[in-house]
């Protein structure tokens, strides 16, 4: 059941302890997906500053980028604008043994494109009508689809935006589009409500995670993924390092003399 009032923010020590456990399980999931050639799509949507990037980083930090592949597409080019709307996203879909994570997805049409006027109301309505059909086609083709909406509150988004303004290493996260989305809070809320109503289906439901507390949100998200993608631990032989061969032994550091080394400043 959704909570109207978030719990007390999680302490870093508790967060890191639980995160380590979940990341170990993600490695077991990775082995299972790779061995069984599963195809999985996980897509993240939410307002600006909802915590999508940090959540994706927590998921992918300890796993192989060859299995967990992150896709964050830029704005469409002039050529892509003339393609079928879903075309550039489908090019990034997983092959066997891959989990593709979309940091924003085709649901741009239901959010930023609609609110900012980058698509017409007719195109928006057509998307909401066809999207469930397209997703059913994808799922019937054997791809698992997990859709996650990170829900950040108005006050917390305001706090995060102001923190970005004052932090030189995070100022790049503030674009003119972000500022405009901040101004149009309620327009985005209405677009969100309509999107959830029209595209949360039995075969591809939306799962909502409150993200005012980033740490809790990341842990809840990973726990949900581990439940949403059935897996078993793959039994593997313990790795043993072979002895190094002395054949052709020589002073392999001598060949580096006179080469350009980076200055050891630290």
């Amino acid at each position: 059941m959704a909570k109207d009032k978030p719990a007390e923010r999680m302490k870093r020590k508790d967060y890191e302890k639980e995160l380590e456990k979940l990341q170990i399980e993600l490695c077991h999931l990775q082995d299972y997906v790779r061995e069984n050639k599963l195809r999985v799509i996980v897509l993240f949507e939410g307002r600006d500053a909802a915590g999508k990037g940090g959540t994706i980083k927590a998921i992918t930090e300890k796993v192989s980028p060859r299995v967990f592949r992150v896709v964050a597409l830029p704005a469409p080019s002039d050529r892509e604008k003339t393609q079928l709307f879903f075309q550039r996203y489908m090019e990034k879909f997983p092959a066997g043994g891959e989990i593709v994570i979309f940091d924003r997805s085709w649901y741009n049409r239901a959010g930023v494109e609609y609110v900012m006027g980058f698509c017409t109301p007719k195109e928006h309505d057509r998307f909401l009508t066809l999207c469930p059909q397209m997703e059913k086609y994808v799922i019937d083709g054997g791809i698992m689809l997990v859709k996650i909406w990170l829900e950040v509150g108005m006050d917390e988004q305001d706090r995060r935006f102001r923190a970005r303004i004052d932090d030189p290493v995070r100022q790049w996260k503030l674009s003119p589009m972000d500022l405009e989305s901040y101004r149009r809070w309620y327009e985005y809320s209405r677009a969100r409500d309509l999107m959830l109503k029209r595209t949360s289906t039995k075969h591809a439901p939306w799962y909502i995670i409150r993200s005012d507390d980033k740490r809790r949100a990341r842990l809840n998200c990973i726990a949900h993924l581990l439940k949403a993608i059935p897996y078993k631990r793959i039994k593997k032989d313990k790795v043993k390092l072979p002895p190094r061969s002395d054949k052709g032994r020589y002073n392999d550091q001598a060949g580096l003399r006179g080469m350009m080394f980076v200055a050891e400043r630290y």
Side-chain angles (χ1 to χ4, degrees):
M1 182 178 292
K3 298 179 181 178
D4 294 329
K5 185 177 180 181
E8 181 183 352
R9 293 187 185 275
M10 193 174 203
K11 292 180 171 56
R12 176 177 294 276
K13 185 177 180 180
D14 296 334
Y15 165 70
E16 291 178 348
K17 180 180 178 181
E18 294 303 317
L19 180 62
E20 182 180 11
K21 296 177 186 176
L22 292 171
Q23 287 179 331
I24 290 172
E25 289 303 314
L26 283 173
C27 290
H28 291 306
L29 170 63
Q30 170 181 259
D31 292 339
Y32 187 84
V33 167
R34 182 164 47 196
E35 181 156 314
N36 290 275
K37 303 297 183 184
L38 299 185
R39 293 174 293 159
V40 183
I41 293 175
V42 181
L43 64 84
F44 284 90
E45 293 290 344
R47 301 178 192 272
D48 293 309
K52 296 181 291 296
T55 302
I56 292 171
K57 182 178 179 182
I59 293 169
T60 59
E61 186 178 18
K62 303 296 184 180
V63 293
S64 170
R66 294 182 180 87
V67 178
F68 283 78
R69 181 159 55 86
V70 179
V71 175
L73 295 181
S77 65
D78 290 340
R79 178 177 181 275
E80 288 171 333
K81 289 177 182 177
T82 66
Q83 296 176 343
L84 289 173
F85 177 71
F86 288 107
Q87 188 170 337
R88 72 188 191 118
Y89 296 101
M90 295 188 78
E91 290 177 352
K92 306 297 183 182
F93 277 17
E98 289 184 339
I99 297 175
V100 172
I101 299 176
F102 278 94
D103 184 354
R104 294 197 180 277
S105 66
W106 47 91
Y107 281 99
N108 275 341
R109 174 133 299 182
V112 62
E113 290 189 17
Y114 174 57
V115 174
M116 303 302 293
F118 297 147
C119 70
T120 65
K122 184 177 180 180
E123 289 172 329
H124 175 245
D125 183 69
R126 177 175 171 78
F127 169 81
L128 294 177
T129 299
L130 295 180
C131 184
Q133 299 175 36
M134 187 278 291
E135 291 176 350
K136 189 172 190 308
Y137 171 78
V138 169
I139 294 167
D140 288 346
I143 296 178
M144 299 181 65
L145 176 61
V146 182
K147 303 190 301 189
I148 295 173
W149 175 272
L150 294 180
E151 178 63 18
V152 65
M154 181 185 286
D155 292 342
E156 180 61 18
Q157 188 197 54
D158 181 85
R159 188 192 69 78
R160 292 177 187 176
F161 270 25
R162 294 184 186 281
R164 290 178 181 182
I165 291 172
D166 298 330
D167 188 343
V169 301
R170 288 192 289 173
Q171 287 175 359
W172 63 270
K173 291 186 176 183
L174 276 177
S175 68
M177 196 68 66
D178 296 329
L179 298 177
E180 189 62 22
S181 74
Y182 176 88
R183 187 175 72 85
R184 302 191 186 199
W185 175 271
Y186 290 109
E187 291 178 58
Y188 270 92
S189 294
R190 292 188 182 94
R192 174 205 62 196
D193 293 346
L194 183 57
M195 179 197 77
L196 295 176
K197 181 179 179 181
R198 296 278 297 273
T199 64
S200 189
T201 59
K202 185 176 181 179
H203 58 271
W206 278 102
Y207 290 93
I208 300 171
I209 298 174
R210 292 200 179 275
S211 63
D212 281 3
D213 185 335
K214 289 183 178 180
R215 293 169 184 163
R216 292 184 189 278
R218 293 168 189 171
L219 297 179
N220 288 329
C221 181
I222 297 174
H224 171 69
L225 287 180
L226 292 169
K227 184 178 179 180
I229 308 171
Y231 71 100
K232 296 179 181 178
R233 293 193 177 190
I234 301 296
K235 187 176 181 180
K236 297 187 291 185
D237 295 332
K238 187 173 182 179
V239 176
K240 294 182 180 180
L241 289 175
R244 280 203 173 107
S245 173
D246 284 337
K247 185 178 179 180
R249 182 174 180 175
Y250 77 107
N251 184 357
D252 62 353
Q253 292 301 301
L256 299 177
R257 291 171 187 162
M259 301 302 292
M260 297 289 289
F261 279 78
V262 172
E264 295 185 357
R265 301 177 183 274
Y266 303 98

